[in-house]
Amino acid sequence: MRLVVTGREGQVASSLLEAGQRHPGVEVIAIGRPELDLAKPDTVIDTIAAAKPDIVVSAAAYTAVDQAEDEPDLAFAVNAVGAGKVAEAAAQLGVPVIHLSTDYVFDGSASGAYVETDATAPRSVYGASKLAGEQAVAAANPRHLILRTAWVYSPFGKNFVKTMLRLAADRDEISVVADQWGNPTSALDIADAVLHAAATLHGNKSFAAFGVYHLAGTGEANWSGFARHILDTSRVSGGPWARVRDIATMDYPTKARRPANSRLSSAKFASVFGWNAPDWRLSTEAVARRVLV
Ligand SMILES: NC(=O)c1ccc[n+]([C@@H]2O[C@H](COP(=O)([O-])OP(=O)(O)OC[C@H]3O[C@@H](n4cnc5c(N)ncnc54)[C@H](OP(=O)(O)O)[C@@H]3O)[C@@H](O)[C@H]2O)c1
């Protein structure tokens, strides 16, 4: 099975490349800029066709949530038009597309964890561009899995785990927002789940349960609780540690508005694909230890 993933150096693409090496019979090819530039839709179809996928994984995205407020055209070009082209390329080749989306399609006003049928109402340009991307993917290729994930971290790229460990090396106390709740999700787990889902699609040509799925770490956290767990893991591993001070979102203004509650229920993914994410604490410990080495 040959998976072609967009976004060569991204967290999910890097994790898939690593995971592919552990699975005999699975080949993962990552493609990215300059050959494949989602902001230049003309580059997309031929580049993906040349990579000869059995399944396309659409993981590349404009992910700078705050910067997107100043660059809405680029965010929509990449996350909506570009994502649609990736799905169209897969459709032309007669193969499914697994597209990554985000918890930020929700406004955060729900009291519990969001399920796939809940109404979307993004609060940010990034969230709106990703929602438009979901619609473009679904329109371009009926054989799609849209996996909404959240709060992604990994040993690769830039992410919250790495930021906390870097800041703790320089200061005694870090202020972190305590009133936004979600599911920290390791890209290593996303890669595992994507390989699992891809094997199901590849092995069952009559698979019919295409559509939207939530796929996030098990268990919930706020950002400050997430930070404390990262730093406590670091301390017991001999790494840097700092006190975490709880602050409110209003004390840490950002350009993009974020949902206060973007918890996702991953029950549908578990029931269709028989795959459950590990508890976020265990996955965080595994990633933090790798970052510390
Ligand atoms: N990170 C999160 O917390 C989070 C949360 C929820 C959902 N998601 C979604 O999960 C997916 C994977 O996220 P991630 O954390 O792996 O992202 P990431 O680490 O930020 O990587 C994004 C990748 O997209 C590539 N990219 C950006 N603009 C591009 C363009 N115009 N053409 C081609 N490639 C382009 C980047 O390439 P360069 O290396 O060339 O810049 C990078 O490799 C994305 O769809 C994201 O929206 C992420």
Side-chain angles (χ1 to χ4, degrees):
M1 176 175 68
R2 189 171 161 96
L3 291 193
V4 170
V5 56
T6 61
R8 194 181 289 118
E9 313 243 308
Q11 297 193 78
V12 169
S14 301
S15 300
L16 260 178
L17 283 169
E18 186 180 275
Q21 287 170 357
R22 291 194 302 270
H23 288 76
V26 173
E27 189 182 7
V28 179
I29 313 280
I31 53 177
R33 289 184 281 194
E35 306 85 76
L36 174 114
D37 185 343
L38 296 182
K40 297 180 185 151
D42 295 350
T43 65
V44 174
I45 294 204
D46 289 349
T47 311
I48 291 179
K52 299 191 181 345
D54 292 315
I55 294 179
V56 173
V57 181
S58 164
Y62 181 112
T63 55
V65 175
D66 290 308
Q67 204 175 319
E69 298 295 313
D70 292 330
E71 295 184 319
D73 292 348
L74 182 57
F76 272 83
V78 173
N79 291 347
V81 181
K85 276 281 169 200
V86 171
E88 186 185 328
Q92 285 189 10
L93 297 166
V95 302
V97 61
I98 300 178
H99 174 70
L100 274 294
S101 189
T102 175
D103 53 336
Y104 284 8
V105 297
F106 295 114
D107 67 7
S109 60
S111 52
Y114 283 94
V115 295
E116 290 79 355
T117 47
D118 282 331
T120 52
R123 307 189 78 195
S124 60
V125 168
Y126 168 75
S129 70
K130 291 292 292 183
L131 180 59
E134 292 186 3
Q135 291 155 353
V137 166
N141 190 342
R143 295 174 72 207
H144 62 266
L145 299 181
I146 290 168
L147 307 181
R148 291 185 185 139
T149 191
W151 296 28
V152 179
Y153 61 92
S154 72
F156 313 109
K158 287 187 202 155
N159 57 65
F160 187 75
V161 171
K162 287 185 164 185
T163 301
M164 288 302 112
L165 294 174
R166 176 170 47 78
L167 292 178
D170 291 344
R171 48 179 98 162
D172 298 332
E173 183 175 273
I174 308 172
S175 298
V176 185
V177 297
D179 54 0
Q180 288 172 29
W181 290 83
N183 308 104
T185 307
S186 167
L188 305 177
D189 295 335
I190 295 173
D192 200 35
V194 165
L195 285 184
H196 201 82
T200 304
L201 301 189
H202 194 58
N204 176 8
K205 297 295 178 207
S206 57
F207 179 87
F210 291 104
V212 177
Y213 289 83
H214 292 173
L215 174 68
T218 296
E220 63 189 43
N222 60 22
W223 288 107
S224 68
F226 186 19
R228 279 194 190 91
H229 196 66
I230 294 161
L231 297 174
D232 289 348
T233 301
S234 173
R235 180 159 61 177
V236 298
S237 308
W241 181 83
R243 255 186 329 278
V244 173
R245 188 166 71 89
D246 288 0
I247 58 169
T249 298
M250 66 197 303
D251 298 324
Y252 186 75
T254 54
K255 278 206 160 155
R257 294 200 305 158
R258 289 164 168 77
N261 163 38
S262 63
R263 289 175 292 149
L264 301 176
S265 164
S266 303
K268 180 184 169 192
F269 189 91
S271 107
V272 171
F273 295 105
W275 187 95
N276 283 288
D279 188 283
W280 70 266
R281 294 165 198 83
L282 295 176
S283 295
T284 297
E285 289 159 26
V287 167
R289 284 197 209 100
R290 273 185 63 171
V291 173
L292 286 166
V293 168

